[in-house]
Amino acid sequence: MKKNLLLSFICFSALLVSCSKDNEENKENLQPIALETDVCQIVPIHAPLDWGSTATYEWSIESAPAENYSLTGIHKAQALFLAASGGTYQLKLKISNGERNESVDVTINVKEPTTSLSPYIAKVYDLLPAPGQFTNSIPEYKPGDTQSAMIEKAESYLVGKKNGGLVSLGGFGGYIVFGFDHTVVNVKGKRDIRVMGNAFYSNANPQPDAPKGGSCEPGIIMVSQDANKNGIPDDEWYEIAGSEYAKPTSIKNYEITYYRPTSEEATENGGGNVTIKNYIRWEDNQGNSGYKVKNSFHAQSYYPSWIKEDKITFKGTLLPDNAIDESGEGTYWVLYAYGYGYADNALNSEEDSAFDIDWAVNAKGEKVQLPGIDFVKVYTGVNQEAGWLGEVSTEIAGASDLHLSGSN
């Protein structure tokens, strides 16, 4: 009996010593965290120890040398931090698992880059305009040009420029994919990227109480983070949910197929001008079909000449028609602007030519939290012919990171 009591006492004492050691180890592991990273580089911050499935986390910024930073995953065991300015950032983590409540101080030293980062487009990864009056024209196609050659021409217009030469995306679905030389920070409560176009407003809008209108050709904007760190845009894409996204007039998962024209021959339209009405046939997944028209101002082929296939299909969100013949006689068309969140939809000097990464949604329409993005895709969002003006086609003249110096 005495032996059993002695054995129980020894085991209990050993348990107390073990618990005491565990508590001491926990205290040691909850010492302040110090990290170092570069400007515009995402750094993951991990909570110390495994606090179990019932644990709650709250990450917060205590002090920062500038406001252009991002902190996401604030209620998870791992948060992601990203800053566009160098300096020392002080964070705090509060942890609780019902039995213990602790806080941890986190210091992140953000180093300035050794070479200056550009606020403008650094690379064009892909370009495929849909049929349109400026396809094969801006940028100009020459016999023998390949896809790579056309991408290089687009780069010569856009890379490193605040407002460069125009690149036309043609009719619905035509797109361009570009990126920066750094990750663009998703700063809370601010618009992050400006996309330059050639939208303008009419001085003779016959409807004085109508929305802004003139030549607004809205393009859908998609963004992506280089999650796999391979430097190419092959990760998940997210749509910037603009003002029309949730409206029933916008069609999700829209598809359209364009067919190579059987002939480029045209009829005289006076003064040497030419017109082909039944020019490039198209069909969509809504049971509709029609033709792109060759107008009297542009005689080159409207089908991208470097594409070998006799048909091309584009997919995306279709915006409702925005061009209205205000004359009723086909002589005066007004292309009206949508509220926000689209390219080539507002003057480059206006706030609505910029977008907030926080507006991004996934394929299910759910909001996502992105600390920043590396790639942008823009495609024409409207499928409409506007009489003698031709098709509604988004044009891009550049893009800039609004959080880097000199970008505005």
Side-chain angles (χ1 to χ4, degrees), residues 11-25:
C11 290
F12 179 70
S13 299
L15 179 62
L16 287 177
V17 171
S18 176
C19 289
S20 176
K21 287 183 178 179
D22 285 345
N23 288 335
E24 289 300 319
E25 288 177 0

Side-chain angles (χ1 to χ4, degrees), residues 246-264:
K247 295 181 180 179
T249 48
S250 293
I251 300 174
K252 310 296 190 300
N253 302 311
Y254 180 75
E255 293 185 21
I256 188 171
T257 298
Y258 301 97
Y259 297 87
R260 187 187 299 276
T262 56
S263 173
E264 293 289 346

Side-chain angles (χ1 to χ4, degrees), residues 268-274 296:
E268 287 291 335
N269 192 32
N273 293 328
V274 295
S296 60

Side-chain angles (χ1 to χ4, degrees), residues 331-354:
T331 59
Y332 191 75
W333 289 82
V334 178
L335 281 65
Y336 287 97
Y338 288 125
Y340 63 88
Y342 303 102
D344 199 19
N345 180 63
L347 302 185
N348 292 334
S349 59
E350 293 183 331
E351 183 181 40
D352 283 330
S353 64

Side-chain angles (χ1 to χ4, degrees), residues 319-330:
L319 299 174
D321 292 353
N322 72 321
I324 297 176
D325 173 19
E326 295 288 5
S327 69
E329 300 175 352

